[in-house]
Amino acid sequence: MNDAHYWDMLILGADLSTDGSLTAGDLDGDSNAEIVVGGTGNLMWYRPATFERGLIAAIDLHCGLTLSDIDGDGLPEVVAGHRVSAGSDIEEWMISWYDCGGDLSDSWTQHVIDPITAGGPHDLVFADVDGDGQMELIANDMYCNVPGLYVYKPFADVREPWRKHCVQSGFTGEGTAAGDLTGDGQVDIISGPYLYTAPPDGPFAGRWEQRHLAFDFREMCRVALVDITGNGRLDLVVTESEYPDGRLAWFENCADGDGTPRWIEHRLLHPLNFSHSLTAWRDAATGRTRVFVAEMAQGGWNPPYNWDARLLVLSTNDGGASWQVEEAYRGAGTHEAIAFDIDGDGDRELLGKECWRPRVQVWKRREAEPPAFTRPVHRFLDREKGHTATDILAVDLDGDGLLDVVCGEWWYRNPTWKRYAIPGIYQAIAAHDITGDGRQELIATRKRTGARSWYEGLTSDMCWLRALDPTAGRWEAYPIGAGRGDWPHGALIAPVLPGNRPALIVGYHNADEGAYPEIFEIPEDSASSCWPSRVLAEIPYGEEFVACDLTGNGELDLVAGRYWLENTGDGDFLPHEIAPAPGWIARVRVMDVNGNGRTDVVFVKEDVDYDQRVAAFVEVGWLENPGDPRSTPWPVHTIDTVRSPHSLDVADLDGDGRLEIVVGEHDPFRPYRSRSRLLAYKQADPRGHGWYRYTLDDRFEHHDGVRIFETTPGRMAIASHGWAEPLYVHLWEFPNED
């Protein structure tokens, strides 16, 4: 590692099950490392170099996962602690190892080490405890009535269950490591804050002696061994792992070879928030000792979500007398994380798997080049807006060639961003050149008479407006008609009718109550009468429509939530369900994600529990066009899991010719005290399997927002607004590359 201070976050896989563990190594001997990840229902391998992945076994893992060459073929096998029956609620656990014969895509063979353990194996460590040249397995069984620490010795046939020896019964700590700490030539075991030394007659002669090493540390710890002082003795690094006020320290090994352990504690960091991951190593190139520690975003037992979860790298080059602390990343927690060189460049990457979030994360240090996105500059367009808006638009209202921002019943003039009212309306929902004069008109809804709150004022009474002198408040309004739903929640005008005639497509807030989307035909004289309407399709449509030609027949089809509507060419639309339930797909965009010339669908979901007042973590993903769009369902690919992402847009933000995805989180309960984020995703893999994630902001809630547009030619910006806090309208502007 060098002295740069920027790390890219790469998401390799976001569709794993929860819990589990992570490790890494070269499984097939091709000099490229693989990442092995386990969770509920799956044990998988990932190849970061090519973004390939595959299933090892359909098992439920605890935290115990490691690699070791068990059969002597020169390749490491996968060793895992897992439930006896996958998916079972019965807490019966076993330990197995798996081999594939070299080709990772082949079927993997399971071999049982222990058919029934005392509890869930939390840590698995290999060491030659008896000095015979063969590695034994050390496991600590936890979360059971009688926890314990055990050593397993293989028989001549390693495929048979192994001999099991109890080191300590009735108690064990979290976190396990092994090495000669006392200088007597024997392997010792560290588990939690305790040191275990073998009996004088050998490691299998009886119970091991327990000594309390880290006296001031609680039982739940992660531990690592490394020679910090450079004197040839292994020192100990310890972090409390299951506590919001944990400590990180290193213990200097002062043993003189007589078997008597003597330690000096050196405190490093306090407090740490559920620091469940720890790796320590001595950098061979520089001689520096480095310690990697990472916090969980949600650890322990139902604590508050840790939005500022950190990945920290500490280093020393003077034997531990002084330390440098680098914050590699903030805002992405890990449950199991390690530092490992996955690309063979001599620099360790940070690898992590988050607890309760199905995501494999890789952080790689950026050296000389700048970040992919320069952080945009935020400004408030408004702090005094009178009530909540349902949508936000970018429209040139004054004809000066610059896109203005429209939100609710107000518009903001580019470039001064002065606010102006739009008389006679309540919510602007769409824009289109209805009159054919080259300028866009607004589609809006009127306010319900006598409404006592902004919510009661929402209606489906629609109209369109022509701007005469918008800065002076002069507009002409014309009726469209009243929709069949409570109020529009998704609207679009597109040429979808025969002869490429435009029509207004409207969905409604109460779509799950049978208020199906409607299509309004624009009459020849659009200003003289209401527009004829009919139900578009009887579907729970989601909250947004996108027009695109999915069939290649020259007719614009529609994407609506988890459906696409095939344009039959005669004014009718045939629905096809492309994404299975459950999960409410709220917002959609279209782009060719994998570069095969087909239009794919990018989506975000909404999941808000108004009874529990919680905005849940749900998917950001994309639906892969199978070639024949009528072949359903489409393959689903998860990009990330974030909290109720209700705002979505795509654009080429950095001018590299590829579209990026921008997402805004939605929390209506604590909008400005819950760290809602504005996130950008950039493809790391042309096939769309791996994505870089960038946090553009983490202060404001978003709802039907995140509209990307150019404030001036070549200068990209994001406009957004919230739901629960009506005052604010936001603008994030990226620096002009020119």
Side-chain angles (χ1 to χ4, degrees):
M1 294 184 179
N2 53 44
D3 294 327
H5 296 284
Y6 190 87
W7 297 71
D8 281 324
M9 176 181 170
L10 170 64
I11 301 174
L12 280 181
D15 50 0
L16 291 173
S17 300
T18 58
D19 297 329
S21 192
L22 177 146
T23 189
D26 183 5
L27 297 178
D28 54 3
D30 65 352
S31 300
N32 294 312
E34 284 77 38
I35 300 173
V36 181
V37 181
T40 303
N42 50 51
L43 175 63
M44 300 190 67
W45 61 266
Y46 286 80
R47 184 173 285 142
T50 61
F51 297 93
E52 298 173 276
R53 67 180 183 180
L55 180 68
I56 298 174
I59 56 177
D60 293 347
L61 263 72
H62 200 252
C63 293
L65 182 65
T66 191
L67 305 179
S68 182
D69 183 9
I70 293 175
D71 58 8
D73 64 353
L75 298 175
E77 281 72 50
V78 178
V79 186
H82 58 99
R83 282 191 175 90
V84 172
S85 298
S88 173
D89 294 331
I90 300 175
E91 291 292 331
E92 291 184 344
W93 298 85
M94 63 191 303
I95 302 174
S96 304
W97 65 276
Y98 299 83
D99 71 278
C100 64
D103 189 341
L104 305 187
S105 299
D106 290 345
S107 298
W108 290 67
T109 303
Q110 178 187 11
H111 309 279
V112 176
I113 294 176
D114 186 355
I116 298 290
T117 65
H122 193 278
D123 303 288
L124 302 177
V125 176
F126 277 88
D128 183 6
V129 300
D130 57 3
D132 67 349
Q134 185 182 44
M135 303 294 278
E136 285 78 39
L137 173 65
I138 304 165
N140 61 341
D141 296 345
M142 299 187 62
Y143 305 116
C144 58
N145 292 330
V146 187
L149 183 64
Y150 302 90
V151 174
Y152 294 88
K153 185 172 182 60
F155 291 100
D157 185 355
V158 296
R159 294 167 177 79
E160 296 294 325
W162 295 11
R163 172 188 172 189
K164 183 178 183 179
H165 178 79
C166 181
V167 173
Q168 180 67 245
S169 180
F171 174 83
T172 185
E174 186 175 283
T176 303
D180 182 8
L181 299 178
T182 58
D184 61 357
Q186 304 296 316
V187 170
D188 308 297
I189 300 174
I190 293 287
S191 187
Y194 297 95
L195 169 67
Y196 296 88
T197 56
D201 295 335
F204 303 110
R207 297 292 175 88
W208 292 40
E209 181 181 0
Q210 181 193 69
R211 297 186 178 98
H212 201 160
L213 192 155
F215 286 96
D216 199 31
F217 280 64
R218 290 162 286 189
E219 283 73 19
M220 301 297 185
C221 298
R222 308 298 279 178
V223 298
L225 301 177
V226 64
D227 181 6
I228 295 175
T229 60
N231 61 5
R233 294 192 291 263
L234 289 173
D235 304 299
L236 177 68
V237 185
V238 183
T239 183
E240 292 178 304
S241 57
E242 297 283 2
Y243 312 98
D245 57 349
R247 290 155 293 179
L248 173 69
W250 74 278
F251 292 79
E252 183 179 354
N253 188 346
C254 300
D256 56 11
D258 64 355
T260 301
R262 287 184 287 273
W263 304 87
I264 300 175
E265 179 182 349
H266 303 274
R267 189 65 54 88
L268 292 175
L269 291 176
H270 177 262
L272 289 169
N273 201 336
F274 300 98
S275 51
H276 198 266
S277 299
L278 180 68
T279 306
W281 71 100
R282 194 170 182 85
D283 195 319
T286 64
R288 297 181 71 89
T289 299
R290 302 188 188 272
V291 174
F292 166 54
V293 62
E295 298 175 317
M296 288 192 281
Q298 193 169 20
W301 291 265
N302 299 316
Y305 193 87
N306 179 20
W307 292 102
D308 291 318
R310 297 168 296 171
L311 285 78
L312 303 171
V313 179
L314 296 80
S315 64
T316 180
N317 62 357
D318 56 9
S322 62
W323 292 80
Q324 296 177 339
V325 182
E326 177 185 1
E327 184 178 290
Y329 202 86
R330 179 186 290 260
T334 64
H335 175 242
E336 293 285 304
I338 61 174
F340 192 90
D341 182 8
I342 59 173
D343 55 11
D345 64 352
D347 224 8
R348 295 198 184 202
E349 286 71 46
L350 309 179
L351 319 176
K353 185 185 186 302
E354 188 174 350
C355 189
W356 312 118
R357 303 277 87 76
R359 184 167 60 228
V360 179
Q361 304 160 138
V362 178
W363 290 267
K364 183 173 178 61
R365 187 191 291 270
R366 187 182 288 272
E367 296 185 4
E369 64 269 28
F373 298 114
T374 302
R375 193 176 181 94
V377 177
H378 173 264
R379 68 187 298 172
F380 289 103
L381 296 190
D382 204 340
R383 294 176 184 257
E384 300 177 347
K385 182 162 61 67
H387 56 76
T388 298
T390 56
D391 291 277
I392 191 165
L393 313 171
V395 187
D396 180 12
L397 291 182
D398 56 3
D400 64 355
L402 300 175
L403 292 175
D404 311 298
V405 172
V406 183
C407 193
E409 58 183 291
W410 301 275
W411 71 283
Y412 304 85
R413 189 180 189 186
N414 187 355
T416 64
W417 303 114
K418 181 180 178 180
R419 185 181 76 180
Y420 297 89
I422 307 174
I425 71 163
Y426 197 55
Q427 300 287 324
I429 61 174
H432 185 77
D433 182 7
I434 296 172
T435 62
D437 63 355
R439 291 180 59 181
Q440 288 188 307
E441 285 76 41
L442 289 180
I443 313 298
T445 61
R446 306 180 195 270
K447 183 179 182 179
R448 178 174 286 109
T449 304
R452 294 169 296 178
S453 67
W454 69 267
Y455 194 88
E456 291 179 357
L458 295 170
T459 73
S460 62
D461 180 12
M462 289 173 285
C463 62
W464 69 273
L465 299 96
R466 188 204 313 263
L468 302 179
D469 187 351
T471 60
R474 294 179 58 218
W475 298 76
E476 289 181 346
Y478 304 94
I480 292 176
R484 294 173 172 86
D486 51 0
W487 48 271
H489 210 26
L492 168 73
I493 290 186
V496 296
L497 295 177
N500 293 323
R501 292 185 293 115
L504 171 64
I505 313 298
V506 179
Y508 299 99
H509 168 255
N510 59 346
D512 56 345
E513 300 174 9
Y516 298 118
E518 290 183 89
I519 182 169
F520 290 78
E521 299 188 24
I522 304 177
E524 186 172 341
D525 185 359
S526 59
S528 64
S529 61
C530 293
W531 298 3
S533 66
R534 54 187 168 86
V535 172
L536 178 69
E538 294 185 2
I539 57 169
Y541 66 95
E543 294 182 357
E544 195 161 42
F545 300 91
V546 176
C548 58
D549 183 5
L550 289 177
T551 60
N553 64 356
E555 302 285 352
L556 286 179
D557 309 297
L558 295 169
V559 178
R562 57 188 180 91
Y563 293 84
W564 78 276
L565 304 175
E566 183 179 357
N567 190 340
T568 60
D570 56 3
D572 292 328
F573 295 84
L574 181 64
H576 303 273
E577 187 176 2
I578 59 176
W584 185 254
I585 291 180
R587 303 276 134 184
V588 291
R589 289 291 187 271
V590 294
M591 59 184 283
D592 181 6
V593 176
N594 53 10
N596 62 1
R598 304 169 186 166
T599 300
D600 307 302
V601 176
V602 179
F603 69 89
V604 293
K605 293 184 176 181
E606 181 187 18
D607 190 349
V608 178
D609 189 332
Y610 283 93
D611 292 331
Q612 300 295 322
R613 298 182 63 79
V614 171
F617 281 80
V618 287
E619 295 164 271
V620 177
W622 64 283
L623 298 162
E624 183 180 356
N625 189 329
D628 179 2
R630 303 175 187 87
S631 178
T632 59
W634 294 13
V636 182
H637 304 275
T638 303
I639 296 173
D640 200 359
T641 51
V642 300
R643 187 175 50 181
S644 195
H646 197 258
S647 298
L648 171 69
D649 210 350
V650 299
D652 183 4
L653 295 176
D654 57 1
D656 67 349
R658 298 285 295 180
L659 297 176
E660 285 78 47
I661 300 170
V662 179
V663 171
E665 293 181 309
H666 172 50
D667 184 351
F669 310 114
R670 299 181 298 163
Y672 298 109
R673 296 189 299 275
S674 57
R675 309 299 296 273
S676 295
R677 295 165 296 181
L678 180 66
L679 302 167
Y681 297 90
K682 186 176 183 64
Q683 282 186 240
D685 170 36
R687 296 166 296 178
H689 296 163
W691 297 80
Y692 290 108
R693 188 179 83 179
Y694 302 90
T695 301
L696 304 180
D697 207 322
D698 61 356
R699 298 174 293 169
F700 306 108
E701 183 243 355
H702 305 267
H703 182 269
D704 297 356
V706 182
R707 295 292 179 261
I708 304 174
F709 67 106
E710 290 182 309
T711 53
T712 58
R715 186 168 194 181
M716 305 300 293
I718 302 168
S720 191
H721 66 121
W723 178 259
E725 174 52 73
L727 302 180
Y728 297 161
V729 180
H730 308 279
L731 185 75
W732 287 268
E733 274 190 296
F734 292 88
N736 198 327
E737 298 297 330
D738 298 333

